[in-house]
Amino acid sequence: MTRDFLDALTRRYLAYVDTFRDPDGRLPEMLQLKLDHTLGVVADARRIMAGEGWPEPLCVLGEACALLHDAGRYSQIREFGTFQDSRSIDHARRGVEVIERERWLAPLPDDERKEVLASVALHNRKEVPASLKAEAAELTHMVRDADKLDIFRVMEVAIADGSLERNPEIAWDLQTHGLPSPELVDAVSRGRAVSYTWIKSLSDFVLIQVGWLNGGMHFRTALQLARERRVLEFREAYLKTLTGDAGVDRCCAAARAHMSERLGTPTDK
């Protein structure tokens, strides 16, 4: 894949997004949020790949993976009125269907096309299959890390500007107050994978993100970016406004310890 192809792909992707605009040319707020998120994921993908020293051809391919990772979101919310896969469709699978239908990757060599499609199909899975070929696995892990980094931003902006109250769909329409699910607290504090079926409250939703900081980020660069952006501190403070449950402290302490172990203390260079 060349930079010229990536530029053309970006134009075609944005033209597709334009088909979801209202007659006045505006995207509905939740779709604008997804477009902004996608562009944020592309930007963080570039940062991760640069930090990890990836060669230019792989960086170009990685940007394409990041650009297309949420291609299924636009038709998902138009058809079902929700971004919750459990209440609608698997948005990653829908994304693959959109990419194939639009023939965005048709000119690419078969191996590159398959790698991009794999990264889209697997970016929302609980784990990346161990059987995935090495380069496809690295691309998928990169997209998953970049996705998490921008989800941190989306959540923080939504809390700060009040859009979480206007559009509770951002956090799955979850009840604002409520004790964290014990099984989720246990898994997050131990750095174990979680089931989204455990999420019952906004506290759970935020704790999932804390869990990403305790073993859920594949690349060191991604974890370093999260620390520089103080995403743990933001979530720790916000969770204290939602619940006084001791499990929150345990989860945040575990995430902080993991980050320090992997990155060194914050003063290290």
Side-chain angles (χ1 to χ4, degrees), residues 28-240:
E29 186 174 10
M30 292 300 289
L31 292 187
Q32 184 65 56
L33 180 147
K34 279 302 170 185
L35 177 57
D36 292 343
H37 166 65
T38 292
L39 299 178
V41 172
V42 171
D44 276 328
R46 291 175 182 145
R47 295 181 182 103
I48 293 169
M49 293 184 292
E52 297 296 321
W54 285 20
E56 172 66 8
L58 192 57
C59 288
V60 175
L61 196 60
E63 284 190 44
C65 295
L67 176 70
L68 300 181
H69 84 283
D70 265 355
R73 287 299 201 184
Y74 302 92
S75 60
Q76 179 190 36
I77 199 164
R78 172 169 284 183
E79 292 178 30
F80 300 97
T82 182
F83 287 137
Q84 293 183 57
D85 288 8
S86 61
R87 291 172 49 198
S88 55
I89 44 117
D90 180 342
H91 77 276
R93 185 176 302 142
R94 171 62 65 86
V96 170
E97 293 170 0
V98 170
I99 294 165
E100 294 280 62
R101 185 183 68 239
E102 298 294 325
R103 296 183 56 78
W104 288 333
L105 304 179
L108 291 182
D110 193 52
D111 59 338
E112 291 187 355
R113 184 182 65 82
K114 288 180 177 178
E115 287 178 341
V116 175
L117 291 176
S119 73
V120 174
L122 299 171
H123 83 272
N124 67 336
R125 295 286 181 86
K126 192 173 181 178
E127 295 178 320
V128 175
S131 59
L132 198 61
K133 291 183 178 179
E135 186 167 284
E138 288 293 275
L139 288 164
T140 302
H141 280 302
M142 184 277 297
V143 172
R144 287 160 66 94
D145 278 6
D147 194 22
K148 291 180 176 74
L149 283 172
D150 196 69
I151 289 172
F152 289 140
R153 179 195 63 80
V154 169
M155 187 69 179
E156 291 169 19
V157 170
I159 291 169
D161 70 6
S163 56
L164 184 59
E165 295 181 8
R166 294 196 309 274
N167 288 306
E169 169 66 28
I170 294 171
W172 299 1
D173 290 308
L174 292 163
Q175 59 178 349
T176 303
H177 296 284
L179 294 176
S181 301
E183 58 268 55
L184 191 146
V185 168
D186 183 68
V188 169
S189 63
R190 295 174 183 268
R192 295 177 179 172
V194 303
S195 170
Y196 280 16
T197 62
W198 298 341
I199 300 178
K200 307 299 182 186
S201 68
L202 187 56
S203 295
D204 291 336
F205 189 86
V206 179
L207 276 175
I208 287 283
Q209 297 181 14
V210 172
W212 295 345
L213 301 169
N214 188 19
M217 307 292 277
H218 183 80
F219 290 104
R220 189 180 187 279
T221 299
L223 192 61
Q224 180 64 39
L225 286 167
R227 184 162 74 176
E228 290 172 1
R229 296 172 185 179
R230 299 181 64 81
V231 299
L232 177 58
E233 288 82 356
F234 183 95
R235 276 145 193 81
E236 189 170 25
Y238 183 63
L239 281 163
K240 288 179 179 178

